[in-house]
Amino acid sequence: MITIILLLITIFLFLRFRTTFSSSAEKNLPPGPLGVPFIGQSLSLLGAMRTNSAEQWLQQRVAKYGPISKMTLFGKPTVFVHGAAANKAVVFSGEEGAVSNRQIESLKRILGERNLTELSGEDHKRVRGALVWFLRPQSLKGFVGKMAGEVRKHLDMYWHGNKEVTVSPLMKTLTFDIICSLLFGIEEGPTRKSIIECFKTMVDGIWSVPINLPFTRYNQSLKASAKAQQILKQILKDRTQNLQEEEEEDDDKDLITYLFSIKNKHKEQALSEEEIVHNIILLMIAGHDTTSILITLMLRVLAKNPTVYAAVLQEHEEIAINKESGEALTWEDVSKMKYTWKVAMETLRLYPPVFGGFRVALKDIQLGGYTIPKGWQIFWAAPMTHLDEKIFGDPQKFEPSRFDQNQTPIPPFSFIAFGGGPRICPGYEFAKLETLVTIHYLITQFTWKLTSEDFLIRDPTLTPNKGLPIQIYPKL
């Protein structure tokens, strides 16, 4: 019976794929094979990601087919584009109405169809505007002390008193706690614990072939997403009741409350319950995964680069020496951590947590002498410009000074760890603040060294294969 069902599914997918491709057959398509219908190069790319060789996988395609080529990824015909010009033309900027936000089916279903990475046009501007407004500098200034408190509490619980820790899972715990507490007002307890368990499962299936069978990662991630959405909807219901009982000046105390308060203040900008839930999930996954990976990899980089470590330490000791014992960081303190952020940027250049993403062509697009047909996916990958020796000389060398203001400016749409143009990550400044505050307390309270050789894998985001175990030595 299962065999018959699988056969019928295969036939259906093949026919749907053939219909999509046949409508584009007469156009001047980019070179490259589409491969087996529906599956195409998906498994090959995922395999390369899990061995952290996806950059080489794509470079081989570029060498063979040029900077624009076609393939099939995650169920859909896809055009891979490479280079800063392509990033500008069809990924992060481009002609109005030509390209839309649309992620692969697995990511869309797991995060929710109304998350920011799926929206375009006025809907995108409305939802993005609400998130950017809440994460404006005025709000971030008020977060510094609370964030510092969360980091110090975390270090007391999980670091002090131990001789060895595994960094990656601890940083995921920290960043998730920070985002739950500061952005969403979800305090420690069973609800937060249930959400984080859901998110661990959800992330596993974000980049997967969207075949919903019981034994697949995709299936398990969908179930976890459904559970997380139910939990969040209950939180929203409770928060709505609280809004009716509180004074207006309390409306903006966390992001969930703020998004609900928009309905009363600016009805034309109001977000639906679905949009609120789906974008909470998006921000939680970004906060749980990407920032934690950046901090983890910075500790790895600092352990391997004594000169860089010494410069970062000096910067933070100069800040700490002027603080009273137990006094929290301030916004002014964070603004002095300029070299540390250059180290973070260089870490992101070499090791972008998110490998790439997708768009969709809303009409036939001409690029490099080829046609990207309407309805096809457009795939971009951050390492392709980050590791381009024509853009970043000696690209494999770790060199924070690349981001000095007196250096030759980096060409636009070349460094895309946070996206670019109107699609730049709305949580960029929050992630920056979170990273700098965490590094401050880590480097002023501990020294560390790696306990074993590791290698990086993508599954789907970047992480050390052993989670980065380190020996730690508290400073007196």
Side-chain angles (χ1 to χ4, degrees):
M1 185 65 176
I2 295 177
T3 302
I4 295 174
I5 293 173
L6 288 173
L7 179 61
L8 290 174
I9 291 173
T10 302
I11 293 171
F12 168 75
L13 294 174
F14 174 77
L15 292 174
R16 189 175 74 169
F17 183 88
R18 187 176 67 175
T19 300
T20 301
F21 179 64
S22 62
S23 64
S24 307
E26 296 180 0
K27 297 173 181 176
N28 184 27
L29 298 175
L34 287 169
V36 177
F38 199 73
I39 303 296
Q41 290 76 19
S42 305
L43 300 180
S44 178
L45 174 60
L46 288 173
M49 290 178 69
R50 287 172 187 146
T51 58
N52 196 31
S53 59
E55 294 94 329
Q56 292 89 338
W57 189 89
L58 286 174
Q59 285 166 353
Q60 289 172 3
R61 289 192 64 86
V62 171
K64 189 171 184 179
Y65 303 114
I68 307 171
S69 61
K70 69 179 184 294
M71 63 179 89
T72 302
L73 288 179
F74 310 113
K76 294 184 179 180
T78 304
V79 172
F80 166 65
V81 298
H82 162 45
N87 287 342
K88 179 179 180 180
V90 298
V91 176
F92 299 114
S93 186
E95 179 187 349
E96 182 73 22
V99 178
S100 174
N101 251 12
R102 188 177 301 172
Q103 298 301 322
I104 57 176
E105 192 72 11
S106 56
L107 190 148
K108 178 175 71 174
R109 297 298 181 191
I110 292 167
L111 297 190
E113 295 187 6
R114 300 298 295 175
N115 82 79
L116 192 64
T117 66
E118 283 293 311
L119 300 178
S120 296
E122 291 304 315
D123 283 342
H124 180 269
K125 291 178 183 177
R126 176 173 51 83
V127 174
R128 178 185 170 82
L131 299 178
V132 169
W133 173 255
F134 184 81
L135 296 171
R136 66 197 186 280
Q138 180 181 341
S139 296
L140 295 181
K141 288 179 181 180
F143 286 159
V144 178
K146 295 178 182 178
M147 193 177 288
E150 288 284 341
V151 174
R152 292 158 77 179
K153 180 173 69 174
H154 171 88
L155 295 180
D156 286 341
M157 288 180 63
Y158 299 107
W159 291 63
H160 287 289
N162 291 315
K163 294 182 179 180
E164 183 174 321
V165 298
T166 303
V167 177
S168 181
L170 287 182
M171 287 301 99
K172 288 186 178 183
T173 297
L174 172 61
T175 55
F176 193 79
D177 285 346
I178 288 174
I179 200 169
C180 279
S181 180
L182 272 66
L183 289 190
F184 302 119
I186 304 172
E187 300 303 331
E188 290 184 67
T191 298
R192 187 191 286 189
K193 185 176 180 181
S194 295
I195 293 173
I196 196 169
E197 290 302 319
C198 290
F199 277 59
K200 288 177 181 177
T201 304
M202 289 164 65
V203 168
D204 288 342
I206 281 178
W207 277 40
S208 58
V209 179
I211 298 177
N212 190 11
L213 295 174
F215 54 83
T216 62
R217 278 186 170 191
Y218 179 57
N219 175 268
Q220 298 303 311
S221 295
L222 286 177
K223 290 180 179 179
S225 176
K227 182 178 179 181
Q229 291 190 49
Q230 285 302 116
I231 295 171
L232 291 171
K233 285 178 181 178
Q234 183 60 50
I235 291 173
L236 297 185
K237 184 178 178 181
D238 296 341
R239 203 64 57 83
T240 303
Q241 180 65 35
N242 292 338
L243 263 179
Q244 297 171 355
E245 300 172 357
E246 294 178 354
E247 296 295 328
E248 186 173 348
E249 60 264 23
D250 292 331
D251 284 353
D252 296 354
K253 64 182 181 182
D254 62 63
L255 182 57
I256 295 176
T257 308
Y258 168 70
L259 294 178
F260 261 112
S261 73
I262 292 176
K263 292 183 178 181
N264 299 324
K265 295 178 179 178
H266 311 287
K267 292 184 178 179
E268 72 280 358
Q269 299 173 14
L271 276 64
S272 67
E273 179 184 73
E274 189 177 49
E275 287 172 336
I276 293 173
V277 169
H278 293 177
N279 284 286
I280 290 171
I281 289 175
L282 172 66
L283 289 175
M284 281 186 169
I285 283 188
H288 177 261
D289 243 39
T290 55
T291 307
S292 65
I293 292 167
L294 169 58
I295 298 170
T296 297
L297 295 179
M298 285 182 72
L299 265 62
R300 181 178 184 265
V301 161
L302 292 172
K304 293 186 173 187
N305 293 270
T307 303
V308 176
Y309 173 89
V312 172
L313 177 61
Q314 180 180 351
E315 182 170 79
H316 288 272
E317 285 184 332
E318 289 174 357
I319 294 169
I321 200 170
N322 295 316
K323 311 292 291 183
E324 296 290 339
S325 178
E327 184 182 355
L329 287 172
T330 65
W331 180 260
E332 289 70 26
D333 294 328
V334 174
S335 67
K336 298 174 183 177
M337 301 177 188
K338 292 181 171 56
Y339 182 75
T340 306
W341 188 240
K342 293 173 190 174
V343 173
M345 298 277 272
E346 180 68 347
T347 303
L348 288 168
R349 184 190 68 82
L350 273 171
Y351 314 110
V354 177
F355 183 71
F358 294 84
R359 300 286 184 262
V360 65
L362 298 178
K363 63 181 184 179
D364 287 359
I365 298 172
Q366 304 302 315
L367 183 69
Y370 299 108
T371 299
I372 302 175
K374 177 182 178 181
W376 280 38
Q377 287 183 149
I378 301 168
F379 173 46
W380 59 273
M384 300 309 290
T385 50
H386 288 195
L387 301 177
D388 188 336
E389 62 182 10
K390 296 177 182 177
I391 300 172
F392 298 99
D394 197 2
Q396 296 295 338
K397 182 181 179 181
F398 191 88
E399 185 51 73
S401 64
R402 299 179 197 274
F403 295 92
D404 286 348
Q405 291 184 347
N406 59 359
Q407 293 291 313
T408 303
I410 297 169
F413 300 95
S414 297
F415 177 74
I416 52 175
F418 291 100
R423 298 290 182 184
I424 196 166
C425 173
Y428 168 84
E429 292 292 346
F430 185 88
K432 178 178 179 180
L433 178 63
E434 191 175 19
T435 301
L436 294 175
V437 170
T438 302
I439 292 296
H440 174 79
Y441 288 107
L442 283 169
I443 203 164
T444 55
Q445 293 190 22
F446 298 94
T447 57
W448 61 89
K449 68 177 182 179
L450 305 180
T451 60
S452 62
E453 288 297 320
D454 66 352
F455 58 88
L456 302 178
I457 60 173
R458 289 189 180 274
D459 194 22
T461 49
L462 192 64
T463 189
N465 69 310
K466 298 178 183 178
L468 197 68
I470 59 173
Q471 289 183 353
I472 56 174
Y473 308 91
K475 296 181 177 178
L476 300 178

